[in-house]
Amino acid sequence: YIKDVCLLKGDMGGIYTSWFNRSSSEGPEGSIIRNNIILNVVGEKYGYTSNRHMGEGIYIDENASGVIVENNTIAHVTNSGIKLHKTENILVRNNILFDTRQSVHVLHSEGENANKIFNNIMVAARDEDDYLKCQVLINESSANALYDNNKYIHLHSGKEIFLNDSKYYSFDKWKSLKKDEINSIAISSPLLPGEKEMIIFNDTRQIKEFNLQGKNIKDINGNKISEPIQLQPFTSIILISVNADAHLY
């Protein structure tokens, strides 16, 4: 459980790895980043040469390859939920990414083996940002990446929520651009007045039960929830709350 990090410096991550200049005989190949909850990565802009906050949830950098990033929860991050910079053959799967400038950011990546972004849930929390025109779910430039079986959720009337080489795309146009992304889906039904996304998570080593009885809570598809929710250790779920119930996260 990683919380409140990069408070003084920018261009950093809650978890970071690289093989910069391949200066050592061994890089991070074979590493697995799994079952983490990472919240509130600031990436203070005054601690970096930038005009914006640059906090990354999980940051795979400079020549890294052969890393698996799976089953993580990343939320309330100023820049990228997961950032892949100059990487190849990184597998990003089964992660929940919530309230970030860009859920996944892939840039300046090349090589024979593409990065793979599969089976993730990406959720925007608002239709604005202090750098991009809104929170986006994928941002890529000079990327070498494949995408499929992801669930993209933007409930704030944001239509162009994918960014490729500085051009914004709707989900349909993104799928036309990315021929391999066949099985991904997008949910974009606008929230009703008073509704807000929320995240509940289990940061313990035991199964944890959340009693939602009497609360005005829906799942991300808009279905009412009244039964308790059990979460396995270091897992999470995105829900929709109404008014005062938003404090549950």
Side-chain angles (χ1 to χ4, degrees):
Y1 179 45
I2 301 169
K3 182 182 179 183
D4 300 331
V5 293
C6 305
L7 302 181
L8 299 177
K9 295 288 187 177
D11 193 30
M12 303 176 73
I15 295 175
Y16 177 92
T17 189
S18 76
W19 195 8
F20 181 68
N21 287 339
R22 301 187 183 272
S23 55
S24 62
S25 59
E26 295 184 3
E29 186 170 1
S31 298
I32 300 175
I33 302 172
R34 175 189 290 155
N35 297 340
N36 300 281
I37 295 175
I38 303 172
L39 305 178
N40 304 328
V41 183
V42 175
E44 175 56 58
K45 64 182 179 181
Y46 297 112
Y48 182 59
T49 55
S50 176
N51 61 356
R52 63 191 188 278
H53 293 302
M54 293 280 286
E56 324 294 344
I58 295 176
Y59 193 169
I60 314 297
D61 200 9
E62 299 278 3
N63 299 314
S65 65
V67 177
I68 296 175
V69 181
E70 64 180 5
N71 303 332
N72 301 284
T73 293
I74 302 169
H76 313 311
V77 171
T78 60
N79 201 47
S80 313
I82 296 173
K83 185 172 185 176
L84 309 181
H85 177 234
K86 296 183 179 179
T87 63
E88 69 168 308
N89 196 29
I90 308 297
L91 176 58
V92 176
R93 65 185 179 193
N94 301 326
N95 301 283
I96 292 178
L97 309 168
F98 173 61
D99 188 21
T100 68
R101 176 177 288 134
Q102 52 234 344
S103 294
V104 173
H105 191 191
V106 186
L107 69 162
H108 305 310
S109 295
E110 57 186 19
E112 295 181 0
N113 299 302
N115 301 297
K116 299 176 180 64
I117 319 297
F118 296 158
N119 298 298
N120 302 282
I121 298 174
M122 310 181 198
V123 185
R126 52 186 180 271
D127 198 25
E128 60 184 6
D129 183 68
D130 61 358
Y131 180 67
L132 303 178
K133 75 175 186 179
C134 66
Q135 286 190 344
V136 299
L137 302 179
I138 299 289
N139 184 0
E140 63 170 25
S141 57
S142 302
N144 180 23
L146 302 174
Y147 307 86
D148 203 15
N149 283 302
N150 297 300
K151 181 179 284 189
Y152 301 113
I153 302 169
H154 199 308
L155 308 181
H156 298 268
S157 71
K159 295 181 179 180
E160 295 181 327
I161 52 176
F162 300 88
L163 190 54
N164 176 272
D165 291 329
S166 301
K167 184 177 181 180
Y168 291 88
Y169 290 85
S170 67
F171 178 59
D172 288 340
K173 291 182 178 179
W174 171 261
K175 288 187 71 174
S176 296
L177 181 69
K178 297 294 178 181
K179 304 298 184 182
D180 53 284
E181 188 149 27
I182 299 171
N183 301 299
S184 295
I185 63 171
I187 299 174
S188 58
S189 301
L191 294 169
L192 298 175
E195 291 185 340
K196 180 181 180 181
E197 305 97 330
M198 57 182 276
I199 184 169
I200 60 174
F201 55 86
N202 179 5
D203 57 355
T204 74
R205 295 181 181 275
Q206 293 80 38
I207 296 174
K208 188 173 182 180
E209 183 172 287
F210 295 82
N211 186 2
L212 303 180
Q213 187 174 5
K215 304 293 184 180
N216 198 350
I217 305 293
K218 302 176 183 178
D219 66 20
I220 204 67
N221 297 306
N223 301 309
K224 177 80 173 178
I225 295 178
S226 56
E227 298 297 322
I229 290 177
Q230 286 192 343
L231 291 179
Q232 295 294 318
F234 301 104
T235 63
S236 66
I237 187 172
I238 305 290
L239 300 172
I240 297 173
S241 65
V242 178
N243 298 327
D245 289 330
H247 78 277
L248 284 173
Y249 74 91

